[in-house]
Amino acid sequence: ADAAHQIVAAPRTAPARKEPQALTSEEKTKLLWRYVPDETEAVRTLRQSGHKWIWRYLKKRDWKRFDTTLEQLRMRQLPFDEITYNLAIFGTLLHPRRPDDVARTLFTEMVEERRFHPALLRLQGGFVDSYFELREVDAAPNPVNLLKVARTFWAISVNFKRQRIRETRRKLAAAALAQRQSKLLEAGEEMADEVGSDLEGAYDSAEEMSDGESRPSVKFPAKRPYQLKGVFKGSGVPNRRKHAWKH
């Protein structure tokens, strides 16, 4: 009860104010698609469909269709992401007649792209090296367990890719926001310079049109003081008020 009371009585924190020049979600997505074209909606849908078919052929051990699907992804010039490399490497490890150098070559390509997280690279490379060492002493996991490991690595690769895309999207949005703010600042400075030049021109023209006389300090239209309201020449107001008791 005390904890609930503390939660209810706790002061509400004001929500963070959004900057007026901040990019919308749609603008951030379009910016991501512009600078990372392999993450557009069409390419992402095609790659996800390829991942599903690769996994199906991997479970069925249909190596001919497995290789064909990977070749189609390369022929369509779809860059491999974390998930594609993971499935390709484990497919090589599970293939009964595939040399070990293919898995190492795929991992080398993954490292050379320099866009994947170092922790994921250490995990993937460490497992490949450990698998080959275990196989030399006849202690490697069987295909069923290796398939479970591939599924686990698939989930890990999805998390790393989601983090990479989110970070790239944030950096692009921050750069675009800084550029937009700098442009607005430059436009504001130019406008201020134009207004200043216009005011200087107006002051110069006023000085040229001046007749040299000092202007009165009274604001027009001038008003009479309150105590002299209704008083004018010939009204006789002061005399009437002064001698009102005699009449």
Side-chain angles (χ1 to χ4, degrees), residues 16 24 26 66 81 85 90 145 153 156 158 162 189 195 225 230:
T24 61
E26 295 181 356
F66 175 83
D81 60 356
Y85 275 113
F90 276 94
N145 293 331
F153 273 57
I156 296 173
V158 169
R162 187 181 294 115
E189 291 178 354
V195 172

Side-chain angles (χ1 to χ4, degrees), residues 22-88:
L23 276 71
T24 61
S25 180
E26 295 181 356
E27 291 176 341
K28 293 178 181 178
T29 303
K30 292 181 179 179
L31 194 65
L32 177 66
W33 290 353
R34 178 181 179 183
Y35 290 95
V36 190
D38 58 315
E39 291 300 329
T40 57
E41 186 174 359
V43 176
R44 188 173 65 251
T45 302
L46 185 60
R47 188 188 291 115
Q48 289 177 355
S49 177
H51 292 163
K52 292 180 181 179
W53 285 109
I54 290 173
W55 179 251
R56 291 175 185 176
Y57 299 146
L58 197 62
K59 291 193 300 183
K60 295 180 180 179
R61 300 183 184 180
D62 191 347
W63 305 116
K64 184 177 180 180
R65 294 183 178 180
F66 175 83
D67 296 336
T68 303
T69 306
L70 286 177
E71 288 297 329
Q72 287 181 354
L73 292 178
R74 292 187 181 276
M75 289 176 60
R76 296 185 180 183
Q77 297 181 355
L78 294 178
F80 282 17
D81 60 356
E82 293 89 338
I83 306 169
T84 314
Y85 275 113
N86 175 70
L87 294 175

Side-chain angles (χ1 to χ4, degrees), residues 10-23:
R12 295 183 178 180
T13 57
R17 294 184 178 180
K18 187 176 181 181
E19 298 184 8
Q21 298 89 6
L23 276 71

Side-chain angles (χ1 to χ4, degrees), residues 128-175:
V128 171
D129 295 337
S130 300
Y131 177 80
F132 290 140
E133 292 177 359
L134 291 173
R135 199 171 63 178
E136 290 179 358
V137 296
D138 197 14
N142 56 36
V144 177
N145 293 331
L146 193 59
L147 201 62
K148 294 179 181 179
V149 177
R151 190 178 186 88
T152 303
F153 273 57
W154 186 355
I156 296 173
S157 300
V158 169
N159 294 333
F160 273 104
K161 180 181 179 179
R162 187 181 294 115
Q163 180 182 359
R164 176 174 62 86
I165 297 301
R166 188 187 300 114
E167 186 67 17
T168 304
R169 192 167 181 260
R170 185 190 64 79
K171 290 181 179 180
L172 290 174

